[in-house]
Amino acid sequence: MKRTVPMIIAATTGFVLIMSHFIPLSEEWGSKAMQWFNVLAAIAFVLGGSNLMRMNLQKISDRRPGWGYAAVTLIAFLVTLSVGLLKVGVQPTSSFPTNAWAAPYNQEGSSLWWLYEYLYKPLASTMFALLAFFIASAAFRAFRAKNPEAIALLSTAFIVLMGRTYVGGLMRDILPRGMEWLSFDSMTNYIMGVFNLAGMRAITIGIALGVASTSLKVLLGVDRSYLGSGDD
Amino acid sequence: MEREKLFWTALMLLGGLFLAGRAAMVGNGRVYVQAETIAETDAGPVVHHRGVPPSQRSEANVSLSWPRTIGLWVAAFCTLGIMSFVLGDNPFYKLMESIFVGVSAAYLMVAGFWDELVQNLFKSIVPGLMRNSFLPGLEEGLQPDLTYLAPLLMSIMMLWRLAPKGAWIARWPLAFFIGATAGFRLVSYLESDFVQQINNTILPLIVYTADESFDVWGSLRNSLVVVGVLLGLVYFFFSVPHRGVVGGLARGGVWLLMITFGASFGYTVMGRIALLADRLQFLFDDWLWLIDPTMQRMGM
């Protein structure tokens, strides 16, 4: 009951989705399964949010180091959730001018839009931007031109980096006529269009085969790791 | 340590004074909105506000928006807070990180609620109620689709994971989730990433131009792509030991993969640099008004 039923559910759902791709009669089942999947994905966010709340509340009640930050996380979470679910600051649209509930939750000017635009967006994009520093510093420490393959990696990275900057195009004016292909931007285009394309294609084909075999293992019940190891 | 603290405090004070002075003299970091009446109701007009460039501040219906101005300053401090991590872990960064975790988790929950639970689940189970509340555009007389009771039941089972006992109940919806992902991915990956990639690799090795003359670069390019894909695949083929001819071909695959990783690295770094440039533009253009690449403040 605890392990067999989930296996049957996983296999049935998976094979229905595969069948729906090939048999037009079962197409409707496939689209319904995908809609159910989307509902469960939304519920998974509720589960994640609840876990976040539980963990942070625990941290605050135990007065563990950094509990103040846990309180900030909790406040930010609850404020965003409340203004989003209650559609605070949302104005009615011209289609339904008397019903503000019908307007989009992320309408320009609403409180959730404010939180997204002035908190989430700058924080998220700056965090990703910071990775530029960390990738560069990690590369500086880890990359060593110890053998020809490592030199190939480093030189390619250097050419692509330069080719995507203003300097890449500037070289074109300096190089003699007929030698423009030696400019960084031309070499970058060639590397991206030939070597990178071939390499990524080989990797993509490998990934597709890996995904297909892993999926089959799950559907046939060979891989049961998602059921966990305990009895409960 | 004390000298270091003093240095940073002085630097912060100077920065704060500069910002206050500049905001008082230049008026930077202000956001203007234009009011637009979109409908007239019994309760009064429904007015929407749209952000406009500061150069339009003297136009009709344009006014200073305090919530958005405060928001802009908050966004600037958030950007600086995250950037402060370059100097090492610090309370300002930790504060911003905590806010980010809370806001992003809640935002995803809100989006999931309105986009999926209301638009998909509740609309199907209680269409009448949804029509009278959140979805007035729903067609009249829509019958409830009781098949959606299954995902509702699975949702409750999934949330059972939060209960102290009976966590195994959550395995059933999880199994549905895993099965659906496996079934969907199996077909889509085989179709788009396997068959389609092979299809795209079958290229003519001898290329002619439009005037039927031999295209050296085109032929070389196609040959390199075909040979490169084959070399890469040989490297990933572990059923045969990488010795002799296979070993030589696999070695070629290693070279190709090294070039690929180098290119991907360079490309990723430049992508992040572009994001950084965008943040710097936000600080210097939208907030401090030190540059104006998009001519937002022309004539001011």
Side-chain angles (χ1 to χ4, degrees):
Chain A
M1 182 82 162
K2 288 179 183 177
R3 299 181 76 87
T4 314
V5 176
M7 269 169 57
I8 294 169
I9 292 173
T12 313
T13 316
F15 284 118
V16 162
L17 271 164
I18 295 169
M19 267 167 51
S20 74
H21 190 79
F22 299 104
I23 305 167
L25 265 176
S26 57
E27 243 173 49
E28 182 68 22
W29 297 357
S31 82
K32 187 139 270 185
M34 282 316 290
Q35 281 166 356
W36 291 9
F37 178 88
N38 291 337
V39 169
L40 280 180
I43 290 294
F45 285 127
V46 177
L47 191 65
S50 310
N51 268 326
L52 181 88
M53 267 184 73
R54 197 166 64 170
M55 273 173 55
N56 283 293
L57 280 171
Q58 190 77 49
K59 203 172 177 179
I60 295 164
S61 74
D62 293 350
R63 290 285 194 275
R64 270 186 263 156
W67 67 269
Y69 297 115
V72 171
T73 303
L74 207 59
I75 292 167
F77 177 78
L78 291 173
V79 168
T80 311
L81 195 65
S82 317
V83 300
L85 292 181
L86 298 173
K87 290 196 175 179
V88 177
V90 169
Q91 296 288 320
T93 56
S94 52
S95 317
F96 304 103
T98 52
N99 186 358
W101 285 105
Y105 62 91
N106 51 2
Q107 185 190 64
E108 186 182 344
S110 67
S111 298
L112 189 73
W113 173 86
W114 191 96
L115 288 169
Y116 178 81
E117 200 68 20
Y118 298 120
L119 278 179
Y120 179 78
K121 225 165 86 172
L123 288 171
S125 53
T126 315
M127 238 173 223
F128 281 112
L130 261 198
L131 287 181
F133 290 109
F134 296 116
I135 294 174
S137 91
F140 183 73
R141 278 176 284 171
F143 289 0
R144 292 283 178 268
K146 282 187 288 195
N147 51 41
E149 289 93 334
I151 295 169
L153 188 146
L154 281 172
S155 337
T156 314
F158 179 73
I159 292 168
V160 173
L161 273 171
M162 296 306 284
R164 298 278 162 189
T165 60
Y166 185 62
V167 182
L170 268 183
M171 267 184 82
R172 250 169 209 283
D173 306 330
I174 305 163
L175 287 164
R177 189 178 287 271
M179 301 290 277
E180 290 93 346
W181 62 274
L182 276 173
S183 65
F184 282 125
D185 60 340
S186 299
M187 282 200 284
T188 300
N189 288 339
Y190 209 74
I191 287 168
M192 296 308 285
V194 179
F195 298 104
N196 186 58
L197 180 79
M200 287 313 288
R201 210 165 260 178
I203 292 170
T204 308
I205 290 170
I207 291 173
L209 286 173
V211 169
S213 66
T214 309
S215 300
L216 268 180
K217 274 163 75 179
V218 168
L219 297 184
L220 296 173
V222 180
D223 184 351
R224 302 170 193 183
S225 53
Y226 65 94
L227 295 173
S229 54
D231 286 337
D232 199 52
Chain B
M1 192 63 193
E2 284 306 308
R3 283 183 66 180
E4 194 182 328
K5 260 188 188 168
L6 196 71
F7 170 78
W8 285 114
T9 314
L11 198 70
M12 292 289 167
L13 273 173
L14 280 174
L17 279 173
F18 166 75
L19 285 176
R22 192 167 166 76
M25 284 189 291
V26 183
N28 62 297
R30 293 182 187 187
V31 182
Y32 294 88
V33 289
Q34 187 164 39
E36 192 185 349
T37 305
I38 58 139
E40 291 286 349
T41 62
D42 296 341
V46 179
V47 181
H48 279 200
H49 291 93
R50 187 172 51 87
V52 290
S55 57
Q56 292 178 18
R57 63 182 171 177
S58 49
E59 285 182 15
N61 297 329
V62 174
S63 58
L64 177 74
S65 167
W66 278 109
R68 294 189 198 202
T69 301
I70 293 166
L72 189 81
W73 282 74
V74 168
F77 284 112
C78 286
T79 304
L80 292 175
I82 297 292
M83 280 182 175
S84 70
F85 191 69
V86 174
L87 304 169
D89 204 4
N90 62 74
F92 194 26
Y93 170 78
K94 277 185 184 165
L95 180 73
M96 294 306 154
E97 191 187 40
S98 308
I99 294 172
F100 177 63
V101 172
V103 172
S104 53
Y107 188 84
L108 287 173
M109 265 179 81
V110 170
F113 177 79
W114 290 113
D115 291 340
E116 282 306 328
L117 297 184
V118 170
Q119 296 276 353
N120 198 353
L121 183 71
F122 298 150
K123 186 191 94 177
S124 306
I125 295 175
V126 278
L129 181 67
M130 287 298 111
R131 194 175 179 278
N132 293 330
S133 54
F134 306 135
L135 307 169
L138 217 59
E139 63 183 274
E140 215 171 335
L142 204 67
Q143 290 304 307
D145 183 354
L146 296 179
T147 58
Y148 273 84
L149 289 175
L152 180 69
L153 182 71
M154 283 198 283
S155 302
I156 296 165
M157 288 167 86
M158 190 180 253
L159 292 175
W160 204 279
R161 211 176 174 81
L162 297 167
K165 277 198 170 184
W168 62 271
I169 292 170
R171 276 186 200 154
W172 291 24
L174 184 71
F176 175 83
F177 213 78
I178 299 282
T181 310
F184 180 69
R185 295 275 183 244
L186 181 90
V187 179
S188 63
Y189 269 76
L190 280 181
E191 200 171 40
S192 61
D193 286 1
F194 185 69
V195 177
Q196 197 57 47
Q197 293 294 336
I198 293 172
N199 195 27
N200 291 345
T201 310
I202 300 172
L203 297 163
L205 299 181
I206 296 168
V207 181
Y208 291 99
T209 53
D211 59 356
E212 293 192 354
S213 59
F214 180 57
D215 182 357
V216 182
W217 284 110
S219 305
L220 184 67
R221 182 193 172 278
N222 284 4
S223 306
L224 281 172
V225 169
V226 173
V227 172
V229 173
L230 291 174
L231 289 178
L233 287 175
V234 169
Y235 175 73
F236 285 123
F237 191 64
F238 297 111
S239 298
V240 177
H242 287 183
R243 285 196 296 267
V245 179
V246 179
L249 293 173
R251 188 110 192 103
V254 171
W255 273 86
L256 177 89
L257 290 173
M258 284 296 157
I259 295 172
T260 306
F261 294 145
S264 302
F265 171 78
Y267 205 68
T268 309
V269 170
M270 287 317 290
R272 304 299 182 204
I273 295 281
L275 271 176
L276 185 66
D278 181 62
R279 290 326 296 161
L280 292 177
Q281 186 176 329
F282 164 76
L283 289 177
F284 294 126
D285 180 15
D286 297 339
W287 183 43
L288 293 174
W289 293 10
L290 288 171
I291 56 170
D292 193 10
T294 49
M295 306 292 177
Q296 284 193 79
R297 295 178 296 280
M298 223 162 107
M300 282 179 73

